[in-house]
Amino acid sequence: MMDEKGQIAVDFLLGISLFLIALTFTVQFIPGMFMSGSAGESSLDYTAYRTATVLAEDTGWWGNNTDSGTDWEGAHPADIKRIGLAVDDEPDSKLTNSPNILSKAKIERFMLIDEKNLTEMLGLYNNIDGSHFSYGYSISIRQDGLPFEINGTPIVRGNTAPDDQEIAKITRVVLVETGRAAVLQGSDLTDEFTSEGIIVNGPCEDNVTIQIRNLNGTSPSFLNATLDNTTILTQPSDFTITKKNIWTSSAHSGSIDIDDIICLDFDHNLFSLNKSYRLDLTFSNVTLDPGPPFVSYNNRSTPLYEPAYLIVEVW
């Protein structure tokens, strides 16, 4: 006998139930993905993350009625639209292929921006019930727990984070451009009167940094540096010298091991005139090829980067 009563199939009931559950989840979850943050801890987290990301991954840019570009740190400080510290690959594109590699020139200009413009352009503020207030913040670049210094200036903006407030903190690993350096092999060095002659064309805005690896000789050591065959330079007022290997960096004293890299950093004020300087580095127990011609520092120098941490705290 045929049963004419209406029935709902179990498969259909199960399917429609799963669909309604998925729809409910979507309606509740999707709007939160696009919220720009609200007052409270979530807003602090969002602001700290956004600030660190923009500084580390964005070049920043400037613009006016006629032109724009990413070289905001140069001749356009009054036209800054966004602050970013990443190095410029193509100044006209507003993009970078080198996120987390920070420009020395941009960091230096970043330290000069007045407080009001800095908080406005980085979005370090919130609006609640029509009231505008600025967040407390600290932005710093640190290395070995200490503020990173560029030309003697510690890279720290903002205030010390309080102990009695909720704080959102983001840390990014970055490479910081500290200047330029000529990286030389022992085989690049040439000898005249037992000294290595390096030609430096002034004027120099940054310190003259020379790194030498694979020195030829048995137990080599550095003796002194002379400028233009007349002035014997002194440490640490004129230059500093350290030696590095894979694991450590230390002040140079005594002999140089085969894995050591000798790092000499000369004060840029020594090369302040528009002329060519001759910098002689004197070693002992080093075998140098006969010379000249000598190495040109300006032709061999490339940007020098050091690892550090970009730390953003917001409260």
Side-chain angles (χ1 to χ4, degrees), residues 12-26:
F12 174 79
L13 183 61
L14 179 61
I16 195 65
S17 299
L18 292 175
F19 171 77
L20 291 175
I21 291 172
L23 179 62
T24 301
F25 173 80
T26 301

Side-chain angles (χ1 to χ4, degrees), residues 276-288:
S276 292
Y277 297 85
R278 174 171 161 174
L279 181 63
D280 283 297
L281 310 178
T282 305
F283 301 89
S284 66
N285 300 324
V286 173
T287 303
L288 302 177

Side-chain angles (χ1 to χ4, degrees), residues 43-263:
S43 177
L44 296 179
D45 292 336
Y46 172 81
T47 302
Y49 175 79
R50 179 193 61 206
T51 302
T53 300
V54 169
L55 290 175
E57 300 185 10
D58 199 300
T59 61
W61 65 286
W62 65 273
N64 54 34
N65 293 331
T66 59
D67 205 355
S68 63
T70 60
D71 53 340
W72 57 269
E73 73 282 6
H76 309 280
D79 298 320
I80 300 174
K81 303 300 182 184
R82 187 170 67 242
I83 301 172
L85 303 180
V87 299
D88 295 21
D89 295 318
E90 299 177 7
D92 294 330
S93 71
K94 302 183 179 66
L95 298 174
T96 180
N97 295 321
S98 305
N100 302 313
I101 301 180
L102 308 188
S103 162
K104 176 176 179 287
K106 292 180 187 293
I107 294 172
E108 289 174 330
R109 175 59 67 177
F110 168 77
M111 295 299 295
L112 300 176
I113 297 174
D114 68 80
E115 193 70 16
K116 182 177 183 299
N117 286 334
L118 184 71
T119 56
E120 289 290 333
M121 284 187 283
L122 287 178
L124 293 168
Y125 63 89
N126 206 339
N127 292 299
I128 296 181
D129 298 330
S131 298
H132 178 95
F133 70 92
S134 297
Y135 291 120
Y137 75 94
S138 172
I139 300 173
S140 63
I141 298 176
R142 295 182 177 269
Q143 187 181 66
D144 298 328
L146 299 174
F148 195 95
E149 293 190 5
I150 293 181
N151 292 338
T153 300
I155 308 304
V156 179
R157 292 293 307 257
N159 302 303
T160 302
D163 296 327
D164 58 349
Q165 291 183 241
E166 292 290 337
I167 299 171
K169 180 179 179 179
I170 298 293
T171 300
R172 299 288 297 261
V173 179
V174 295
L175 288 176
V176 181
E177 180 187 358
T178 58
R180 300 182 69 83
V183 180
L184 307 177
Q185 299 289 331
S187 56
D188 295 326
L189 307 183
T190 56
D191 180 34
E192 182 175 273
F193 311 119
T194 71
S195 297
E196 155 63 9
I198 297 175
I199 303 302
V200 180
N201 293 322
C204 297
E205 295 183 357
D206 298 320
N207 283 359
V208 171
T209 303
I210 298 168
Q211 298 186 357
I212 304 173
R213 62 183 72 204
N214 300 326
L215 278 171
N216 300 315
T218 303
S219 298
S221 62
F222 173 81
L223 297 180
N224 58 52
T226 306
L227 191 62
D228 288 341
N229 288 323
T230 58
T231 305
I232 297 178
L233 304 180
T234 59
Q235 302 181 61
S237 58
D238 293 328
F239 74 102
T240 59
I241 177 169
T242 56
K243 63 177 184 178
K244 300 181 180 181
N245 57 32
I246 296 175
W247 307 109
T248 61
S249 175
S250 60
H252 168 67
S253 61
S255 63
I256 302 167
D257 295 331
I258 189 171
D259 294 328
D260 287 340
I261 302 172
I262 293 299
C263 302

